[in-house]
Amino acid sequence: MNSSESKPESVTSQKKNIVVLISGSGSNLQAFIEAQKNSGFNGSIKAVISNKEDVYGLERAKQANIPAICIPHKEYSTRERFDLALANAINQYSPDLIILAGFMRILTPDFVKNYKGKLLNIHPSLLPKYPGLHTHRKAIENGDKLHGTTVHFVTEELDGGPLVGQGSTVIQANDSEESLNKRIQTLEHKLYPYIAKLFLSGAISLNEDVVYFENKQLEQVISI
Ligand code: GRF
């Protein structure tokens, strides 16, 4: 092609680099693997990194021809050393976006500060309700009417960063943790790539712990 021919914007624009961190089955990773096939999704997964060996998420990455890297946290004497190794691996891929998708490690403040504004997490509750573990159990035991999942920017506070998007479902009388988990995961697989797509297009950003949507402060979380 000579310089006088120009391609349409969508073809010439460079896709943004995504690194996905996992610790388990990687069903959210799979949703991203599918999403990146879509031409409107301006990102490409450059690597998948797990802190656990033999997890199915690594297999999913290999099947999609994405570098699948394992950095076992057990091999590091401190959280800081592990996070340093993790950051070194991540930086090889110059990420524009780092997706925590079931990554079950608390990250050090230095790590989080370093990637602030491009580090997203998904948490299976309607944050700020139920940070931490066993969220479905807590929602059922408390007799909640609604439960859901939240995508948020990661800050030093566990499950406490600025909220971006949520999906919710009505808790039925006969719901168990398992049945609820199934519905929540279905929501996650829609919500997370959708929010990432907005981020990658430049519509969503973080500034001084405030989320902006199309250059205006986000007043209400984005709902699906
Ligand atoms: C998701 O439910 C997510 O909310 C939580 O961990 C789970 C990961 O599931 N942070 P998967 O590995 O993506 O299937």
Side-chain angles (χ1 to χ4, degrees):
M1 171 174 185
N2 66 43
S3 56
S4 63
E5 291 173 75
S6 60
K7 284 186 176 179
E9 173 76 12
S10 61
V11 180
T12 50
S13 70
Q14 179 82 36
K15 294 248 178 195
K16 300 217 169 130
N17 295 341
I18 303 173
V19 172
V20 183
L21 307 187
I22 59 164
S23 303
S25 96
S27 68
N28 279 283
L29 163 66
Q30 190 66 46
F32 277 97
I33 291 172
E34 302 310 322
Q36 70 172 357
K37 293 176 187 162
N38 191 324
S39 63
F41 188 87
N42 190 30
S44 162
I45 305 170
K46 297 296 176 198
V48 172
I49 306 176
S50 171
N51 65 313
K52 288 194 181 162
E53 292 164 289
D54 301 327
V55 292
Y56 187 55
L58 287 174
E59 195 50 44
R60 292 183 197 266
K62 285 180 205 154
Q63 279 169 18
N65 290 318
I66 299 166
I69 300 158
C70 182
I71 306 177
H73 67 269
K74 286 184 284 184
E75 292 178 8
Y76 295 83
S77 55
T78 64
R79 215 173 262 288
E80 285 72 19
R81 283 187 184 152
F82 170 73
D83 279 8
L84 208 55
L86 183 61
N88 283 337
I90 290 173
N91 293 343
Q92 308 291 313
Y93 299 94
S94 308
D96 299 292
L97 173 62
I98 301 164
I99 293 286
L100 305 186
F103 185 67
M104 302 299 283
R105 289 284 300 169
I106 295 172
L107 295 161
T108 54
D110 280 351
F111 181 98
V112 171
K113 266 187 220 142
N114 193 24
Y115 297 110
K116 203 158 180 181
K118 52 181 174 183
L119 195 52
L120 287 176
N121 183 41
I122 192 156
H123 180 76
S125 79
L126 293 171
L127 287 172
K129 259 192 164 179
Y130 312 135
L133 299 173
H134 309 302
T135 56
H136 308 325
R137 189 184 309 165
K138 287 173 190 162
I140 292 172
E141 282 175 0
N142 287 339
D144 290 0
K145 299 252 180 306
L146 272 185
H147 186 44
T149 185
T150 305
V151 174
H152 65 95
F153 280 104
V154 177
T155 58
E156 290 88 326
E157 194 190 337
L158 180 68
D159 300 327
L163 312 184
V164 186
Q166 289 185 323
S168 59
T169 183
V170 173
I171 301 183
Q172 307 293 339
N174 60 352
D175 259 326
S176 61
E177 282 184 60
E178 291 69 33
S179 63
L180 209 42
N181 185 48
K182 212 169 161 201
R183 289 212 300 290
I184 297 286
Q185 285 227 313
T186 304
L187 284 171
E188 291 188 334
H189 302 159
K190 285 192 200 127
L191 177 71
Y192 211 0
Y194 177 63
I195 298 297
K197 182 179 168 186
L198 291 174
F199 177 89
L200 293 162
S201 73
I204 286 175
S205 59
L206 184 74
N207 191 3
E208 306 275 343
D209 281 352
V210 175
V211 179
Y212 287 82
F213 180 61
E214 287 170 347
N215 299 322
K216 283 198 210 110
Q217 205 166 321
L218 183 69
E219 302 288 352
Q220 263 194 325
V221 292
I222 296 164
S223 299
I224 58 154

